[in-house]
Amino acid sequence: MAIVNLDKIQARKTGNLTPVVFTEVVKNGAVFHLGDLVAGERELHKAVTPAAETVDVLPLVLHASVEMTYNPREYALKHFELAVGEEGRGVHLEEGDIFTMTADAFDGTPVVNQFVVPQAGKTQLAPAAAIGTTRFVGKVIESTILGFDGSPAFAIQVVKN
């Protein structure tokens, strides 16, 4: 159950945020490409899972919706999930932006001073020892904790997008 902290993001409040909908239940920390507008909408876009033909050419967007839940037994950031068809918030990442995510948001365990990159067919970033050909690359700059229970987390600085 991922927690995302937008540490230093250009799109934080008045920047480039985009409303999006997903075709599956997602947690904060999912990464995706911006798809077409939803029929009849002016601003609401479809989220598209990265694919082999898109990870090298399309920019990545980070899902970081406001964590609102009405179930008191699941009232914690790590329990938040965005339902299918519900409107979420996509954060456009720019070079130099910094965000922190709990370890469960990654597909593998990131290593400080190495990198994270998107993968085809998945909405999780994966650790990488070197910068490859993907359009998005983030550098792991810190190992830390997030949440009241001290969940392991990693701070990521955007190298390119």
Side-chain angles (χ1 to χ4, degrees):
M1 304 287 186
I3 299 173
V4 175
N5 190 39
L6 302 176
D7 303 325
K8 180 186 160 226
I9 301 287
Q10 292 182 38
R12 189 169 213 154
K13 292 194 189 229
T14 59
N16 202 355
L17 302 174
T18 301
V20 293
V21 292
F22 293 84
T23 57
E24 60 188 40
V25 174
V26 293
K27 298 172 181 19
N28 278 340
V31 292
F32 59 94
H33 300 305
L34 217 50
D36 294 333
L37 286 169
V38 172
E41 295 288 341
R42 291 177 31 165
E43 297 179 5
L44 185 61
H45 285 262
K46 297 174 188 172
V48 178
T49 301
E53 59 276 2
T54 62
V55 293
D56 291 347
V57 293
L58 294 178
L60 223 56
V61 179
L62 174 69
H63 173 241
S65 290
V66 177
E67 302 91 345
M68 293 181 65
T69 181
Y70 299 101
N71 183 342
R73 288 175 293 241
E74 294 184 351
Y75 190 71
L77 297 178
K78 69 180 186 177
H79 294 296
F80 175 76
E81 291 182 334
L82 188 69
V84 174
E86 192 173 317
E87 186 177 317
R89 180 175 69 178
V91 178
H92 294 262
L93 299 169
E94 301 292 335
E95 185 177 320
D97 285 353
I98 298 173
F99 60 95
T100 303
M101 298 194 307
T102 50
D104 55 339
F106 298 95
D107 187 22
T109 304
V111 177
V112 175
N113 290 323
Q114 289 191 5
F115 304 95
V116 290
V117 296
Q119 345 169 51
K122 295 193 176 186
T123 58
Q124 291 178 298
L125 294 172
I131 295 176
T133 60
T134 59
R135 174 151 175 178
F136 173 88
V137 175
K139 183 174 183 180
V140 183
I141 60 172
E142 179 184 33
S143 175
T144 186
I145 58 171
L146 282 179
F148 68 89
D149 60 352
S151 298
F154 297 91
I156 308 298
Q157 183 170 31
V158 177
V159 174
K160 64 178 186 168
N161 193 20

